[in-house]
Amino acid sequence: EAPGSNNFLKGVRWSPAGGCLLGASDDNVLRVFALPNESLSAEWESVSQAVADCVVAAGSHSDSAVELHCTSSAKAGETIFDFCWYPYATDSEGCFLSTSRDHPIQLWDANNGALRCSYRAFNHLDEIATAYSLAFNADGTKIFAGFNQMIRIFDTATPGRDHEDRPTVSTRRGEGQKGIISSIAVCPAYRGLYAAGSYARSTCLYSEADGQLYAYLEGQKGGVTQVKFSADGNYLFTGGRQDPFIHCWDIRNTCSTVFQMQRVCTTNQRLAFDIEPCGRHLITASEDGTILVYDLSQFGALAGQFSLHQDAVNGISVHPFLPLPYTDLI
């Protein structure tokens, strides 16, 4: 950005293949950054050892930085609410989804930023309904989109306005998951299961096949802003706004949380967290510029912390196989 620019990143995601980083900025532009080849070779020639050692992979802090260059960009029409990579995207042939205010869900080409297609939902006035969260299912054939008290499912291969509506609140009894569906995560181990978080401070587990409600989780002090499964699919982690704790739930016994992990979060800002490739450590951003590393095998014990920025860190994404966390700040 130019000197004096007030633009900032609002979130980052490593591509599934690990060669690109996708970021959404306050100027409503999605940018793809390429990881330099030397980062995949000479600079990281001992990477297999580092990844094998989970503690090194997640908890170490190096003062060295890798400079990334923007290779393509896509201009969204309005404020970007969410974005995600296609699960089988490669470095040479990739695409990603985004959703922005008063616009349809859009699928972009990661190589040149061209719009491939769009998926549209309409409200009762036949106006474009805005999706607030996005996720592909495990095989990439379905798109889950979160709306106000509604989850809509699109067929990836069929762009347009065809979709399945799954209300999260019963129209007769008024029971269910209320509020805007702010985050969706698909279970990596148990096919057919996904989680949805709501700004109404609830998280629910649903069946992918028919939308059946499996579990209703409460306990977040603020609206849920992120849900994420562990690698084995047995645990679900939830974080919220104006809530200093990330909650760990055992989906086999959802009566109460297993443990909690603390961070600084006093505003409505979305603060991200991620789990490193070995699945042992959770790394979270924090409002005070600190990166916190928690050991999941020790019931969320603090394994390390370090300050990377002078301002709030709102995004963090861990590389799928290299010990390369990436953070962004406001």
Side-chain angles (χ1 to χ4, degrees):
E1 299 297 334
S5 171
N6 289 325
N7 192 30
F8 57 88
L9 284 168
K10 300 171 67 175
V12 288
R13 306 277 194 283
W14 282 108
S15 64
C20 300
L21 184 75
L22 175 63
S25 303
D26 190 54
D27 60 358
N28 305 330
V29 176
L30 294 134
R31 294 178 174 87
V32 177
F33 301 88
L35 185 65
N37 290 332
E38 57 267 23
S39 297
L40 295 169
S41 53
E43 188 175 343
W44 298 100
E45 58 185 6
S46 61
V47 66
S48 56
Q49 257 186 338
V51 173
D53 186 346
C54 294
V55 176
V56 174
S60 62
H61 173 217
S62 173
D63 293 327
S64 62
V66 178
E67 184 177 357
L68 303 179
H69 299 280
C70 179
T71 57
S72 65
S73 62
K75 176 68 175 178
E78 262 287 355
T79 302
I80 299 169
F81 288 135
D82 199 8
F83 59 98
C84 65
W85 285 97
Y86 177 68
Y88 295 104
T90 65
D91 296 336
S92 59
E93 186 69 24
C95 58
F96 57 87
L97 282 174
S98 75
T99 178
S100 57
R101 182 165 51 202
D102 298 329
H103 281 72
I105 299 166
Q106 296 172 312
L107 183 69
W108 305 92
D109 191 306
N111 296 321
N112 54 28
L115 179 63
R116 288 191 177 183
C117 61
S118 61
Y119 305 86
R120 301 184 297 276
F122 295 85
N123 60 21
H124 63 287
L125 298 176
D126 205 34
E127 300 170 334
I128 288 286
T130 300
Y132 295 90
S133 55
L134 296 171
F136 282 100
N137 66 346
D139 58 14
T141 59
K142 302 290 184 182
I143 298 169
F144 294 87
F147 294 80
N148 185 21
Q149 299 187 163
M150 178 77 71
I151 294 174
R152 291 184 167 100
I153 301 179
F154 297 85
D155 189 324
T156 307
T158 311
R161 60 187 300 165
D162 292 337
H163 60 269
E164 178 188 352
D165 287 345
R166 291 185 178 176
T168 59
V169 176
S170 170
T171 55
R172 289 184 294 178
R173 298 183 179 181
E175 299 176 349
Q177 188 173 25
K178 300 179 181 179
I180 292 172
I181 305 302
S182 55
S183 180
I184 300 175
V186 175
C187 184
Y190 304 126
R191 291 295 180 96
L193 178 68
Y194 67 94
S198 165
Y199 282 142
R201 298 180 294 182
S202 66
T203 302
C204 291
L205 298 175
Y206 294 101
S207 164
E208 180 180 334
D210 56 10
Q212 179 184 350
L213 176 62
Y214 286 148
Y216 185 92
L217 313 177
E218 288 184 300
Q220 212 80 43
K221 293 181 179 179
V224 178
T225 56
Q226 185 178 357
V227 294
K228 187 176 182 65
F229 283 97
S230 61
D232 61 9
N234 291 329
Y235 298 94
L236 178 69
F237 300 91
T238 63
R241 57 190 185 184
Q242 296 188 38
D243 191 336
F245 296 103
I246 296 172
H247 297 251
C248 173
W249 304 84
D250 187 334
I251 67 170
R252 299 161 296 183
N253 181 10
T254 58
C255 295
S256 62
T257 57
V258 181
F259 56 83
Q260 299 175 346
M261 295 161 284
Q262 192 166 10
R263 60 180 178 176
V264 180
C265 182
T266 62
T267 69
N268 285 331
Q269 183 179 1
R270 183 190 295 256
L271 301 180
F273 60 86
D274 202 359
I275 299 174
E276 49 85 16
C278 297
R280 179 173 175 180
H281 294 89
L282 182 145
I283 308 174
T284 179
S286 190
E287 192 178 303
D288 61 358
T290 303
I291 304 298
L292 303 169
V293 182
Y294 288 97
D295 191 336
L296 302 180
S297 67
Q298 299 297 321
F299 297 97
L302 184 63
Q305 65 180 53
F306 44 88
S307 297
L308 291 184
H309 304 295
Q310 300 300 315
D311 210 334
V313 179
N314 62 8
I316 187 163
S317 181
V318 180
H319 195 276
F321 54 88
L322 292 177
L324 263 177
Y326 187 89
T327 64
D328 63 78
L329 69 158
I330 63 167

